[in-house]
Amino acid sequence: MGKHDTKLLNIGFNNGVVASRIIAIVNPSSSPMKRLREEAKERGQLIDATQGRKTRSIIITDSSHIILSAIQAETISNRLSEGNAPKENFKEKEKE
């Protein structure tokens, strides 16, 4: 793709987030996280990527967008720290 190559982090259900824009991945159960979600909704910066499932993690980006995911925070963190293995597999399939 060139010098503007970005890595997308799979957050479930074929949804992706630019990995370099993520500030935090947190559990949604605490009261402060519930307030964060509501404030983002009021600002129009809430993105629901749960496909109607239970929210299991909240992703906070550097643009103040709040992304809801149905994937556990630990799973997303592992994907992020592993260098986004699913995209690498996609590149290998693309070559075939």
Side-chain angles (χ1 to χ4, degrees), residues 29-77:
S29 57
S30 70
S31 293
M33 291 305 108
K34 290 177 183 176
R35 281 193 301 273
L36 182 72
R37 177 196 301 196
E38 287 304 312
E39 290 169 1
K41 186 175 183 179
E42 290 170 8
R43 291 190 318 263
Q45 291 185 311
L46 181 70
I47 300 168
D48 187 347
T50 62
Q51 305 294 76
R53 308 286 197 307
K54 179 180 177 182
T55 300
R56 297 187 184 270
S57 63
I58 297 176
I59 301 165
I60 304 168
T61 67
D62 61 358
S63 63
S64 298
H65 283 83
I66 304 300
I67 304 167
L68 308 179
S69 174
I71 306 295
Q72 291 284 350
E74 183 178 4
T75 303
I76 295 173
S77 296

Side-chain angles (χ1 to χ4, degrees), residues 3-40:
K3 71 179 193 178
H4 295 292
D5 221 5
T6 56
K7 291 194 178 200
L8 289 178
L9 177 67
N10 181 353
I11 61 166
F13 305 108
N14 291 323
N15 296 307
V17 177
V18 176
S20 63
R21 305 292 305 260
I22 295 172
I23 293 176
I25 303 167
V26 296
N27 290 318
S29 57
S30 70
S31 293
M33 291 305 108
K34 290 177 183 176
R35 281 193 301 273
L36 182 72
R37 177 196 301 196
E38 287 304 312
E39 290 169 1

